[in-house]
Amino acid sequence: MQIDVKLFTLKKRFPLKISYGTTAQTTNVWVKILHDGIEGWGEASPFSAGGDALTTEMIYSCLLEVAPTLAKFSPYERHRIEKVLIEANIISPVRAAIDIALHDWFGKSVGLPLWKIWGLDRSTIVSTSVTIGINTPDGARERVRKWLEYADVRVLKVKLGSSEGIEADKQMLLAVRDEAPSKEIFVDANGGWSLEDAVTMGKWLADLNIKYIEQPLAKGKEASLAQLKAKQPLPIFVDESCFTSLDVPDLANSIDGINIKLMKSGGLTEAMRMVHVARAYELQVMFGCYSDSALTNTAAAQFSPLADYLDLDSHLNLINDPFCGAVLQSGRLFPNDLPGLGVQYRATSA
Ligand SMILES: [Mg+2]
């Protein structure tokens, strides 16, 4: 099989500020696998998960190095390819792009969308949340208004863990809730709280009917999660603390769910494994995203009937997404009936 790689830059409508930085645009990599006259597509996005960043440069150079070594494989050898890439310590976004492209190729080769190959029921897909980044209370209100004008949004994920402390978090959360009183609200602190702050916030947010808190403590502070779980009532999801299924067993007793992202897991193969391992520990699962285009979010939408919560909104905040695929209907992101991922290229204006 032949692998082509190409860079493309995505610009955000609203820059996103979270506890460890602000992003206005990213350059991602489009991976194409060509074999037997069929093209499979995948994407690799740069990200930072509370530790060292995986940059576009790292991803691109790794892909250029790896691509020729995979020429000897057939796209049907997905598990063997995954093993070879893991043994070579290839970074997760590169493995993700290849694995997503192999799935797309396979779906196209048999003429079926992935959700159908997996026997999944699209009617069980839950609403996707859209993200309100760290902001002033007035700025947050404005973002909520803009989101509601722009898309049929049912659920908001509010980023807390402000460097100005939990009083600033509280003021922002109250502003969002006041602006959208009928919307469900989830909270993601991106590791921005101390244990003490997280206990205080968990209790305070529970009184406001918030559904869960995500990554309350920084990556590396996992030993304190059990204490946090015991001292406040809200379910705890981890994101930065959980990359693959191997991370789940040690965390399982101190959390309630995991946020699975294709760029962390290294693709759909491992993401599916994470779902099953999490279920074996009676944990809930959420699917999330980084600065991904519609290509990666459509890949996640393909197995989204398996998720309790969905946060696949990054492509909805782009002004020049070159891809289209899964469509937002009544707040839910539905994969289409086209084979593979069902992702198509479109001309962009920006
Ligand atoms: Mg998160």
Side-chain angles (χ1 to χ4, degrees):
M1 63 190 200
Q2 184 195 328
I3 301 183
D4 285 353
V5 298
K6 191 180 167 190
L7 293 166
F8 62 102
T9 296
L10 296 171
K11 293 175 187 161
K12 291 189 195 297
R13 182 174 291 110
F14 307 116
L16 179 65
K17 183 176 179 189
I18 65 172
S19 73
Y20 42 80
T22 303
T23 326
Q25 66 172 50
T26 60
T27 297
N28 297 5
V29 189
W30 181 14
V31 171
K32 287 191 221 177
I33 285 179
L34 305 126
H35 184 76
D36 267 356
I38 296 171
E39 272 188 22
W41 293 358
E43 176 184 17
S45 322
F47 70 90
S48 167
D52 292 339
L54 294 174
T55 64
T56 304
E57 292 70 26
M58 290 162 71
I59 291 169
Y60 188 63
S61 62
C62 181
L63 269 164
L64 291 182
E65 207 178 305
V66 156
T69 69
L70 297 180
K72 61 176 183 273
F73 293 102
S74 143
Y76 291 111
E77 297 178 284
R78 207 166 56 225
H79 283 261
R80 196 165 154 221
I81 294 167
E82 186 196 35
K83 192 164 177 269
V84 165
L85 295 177
I86 287 173
E87 282 171 1
N89 279 322
I90 299 302
I91 51 177
S92 61
V94 167
R95 286 185 279 118
I98 292 166
D99 183 77
I100 293 167
L102 289 169
H103 275 87
D104 188 36
W105 187 93
F106 178 71
K108 286 171 177 166
S109 77
V110 297
L112 290 169
L114 295 174
W115 62 267
K116 218 173 237 187
I117 290 172
W118 287 322
L120 298 173
D121 175 2
R122 283 184 297 182
S123 72
T124 63
I125 293 173
V126 299
S127 296
T128 193
S129 50
V130 300
T131 303
I132 307 297
I134 293 174
N135 212 318
T136 60
D138 284 345
R141 279 177 189 277
E142 176 71 11
R143 288 292 154 82
V144 173
R145 275 199 293 274
K146 290 270 170 103
W147 264 123
L148 298 182
E149 261 170 43
Y150 172 73
D152 187 356
V153 169
R154 308 293 169 97
V155 186
L156 300 167
K157 183 189 269 193
V158 181
K159 295 288 192 179
L160 299 183
S162 166
S163 57
E164 289 168 36
I166 57 172
E167 277 315 307
D169 282 346
K170 287 182 179 179
Q171 293 313 310
M172 184 185 146
L173 197 280
L174 288 173
V176 170
R177 196 161 166 272
D178 185 54
E179 194 62 40
S182 66
K183 306 296 175 194
E184 214 168 17
I185 297 178
F186 307 152
V187 160
D188 185 357
N190 288 109
W193 291 333
S194 64
L195 176 60
E196 193 189 351
D197 283 350
V199 171
T200 306
M201 288 303 284
K203 290 177 183 166
W204 186 79
L205 291 164
D207 287 341
L208 293 174
N209 249 336
I210 304 307
K211 290 280 159 184
Y212 63 77
I213 45 176
E214 182 178 333
Q215 196 68 36
L217 308 179
K219 183 178 166 69
K221 303 282 183 195
E222 289 77 18
S224 298
L225 285 169
Q227 233 181 314
L228 177 61
K229 187 170 159 64
K231 286 185 172 173
Q232 59 77 47
L234 281 184
I236 299 169
F237 275 75
V238 286
D239 177 355
E240 289 88 338
S241 292
C242 183
F243 271 54
T244 72
S245 56
L246 296 175
D247 298 319
V248 175
D250 285 347
L251 291 163
N253 288 333
S254 349
I255 59 170
D256 300 280
I258 58 169
N259 186 345
I260 298 171
K261 296 178 178 175
L262 294 174
M263 292 305 133
K264 283 190 301 181
S265 71
L268 289 159
T269 304
E270 174 58 21
M272 196 65 97
R273 228 175 259 135
M274 292 176 81
V275 171
H276 298 310
V277 172
R279 294 298 183 206
Y281 284 98
E282 298 183 330
L283 297 175
Q284 291 196 295
V285 296
M286 175 193 331
F287 298 169
C289 55
Y290 288 107
S291 294
D292 306 328
S293 77
L295 199 165
T296 298
N297 284 342
T298 298
Q302 292 288 340
F303 74 133
S304 66
L306 296 175
D308 301 293
Y309 296 102
L310 292 170
D311 183 34
L312 300 172
D313 63 328
S314 55
H315 68 295
L316 302 173
N317 186 28
L318 296 175
I319 53 171
N320 65 338
D321 194 341
F323 302 106
C324 57
V327 173
L328 194 68
Q329 289 169 358
S330 308
R332 306 194 291 165
L333 193 64
F334 286 99
N336 59 36
D337 289 311
L338 295 171
L341 300 177
V343 168
Q344 294 177 296
Y345 190 76
R346 61 175 172 196
T348 52
S349 53

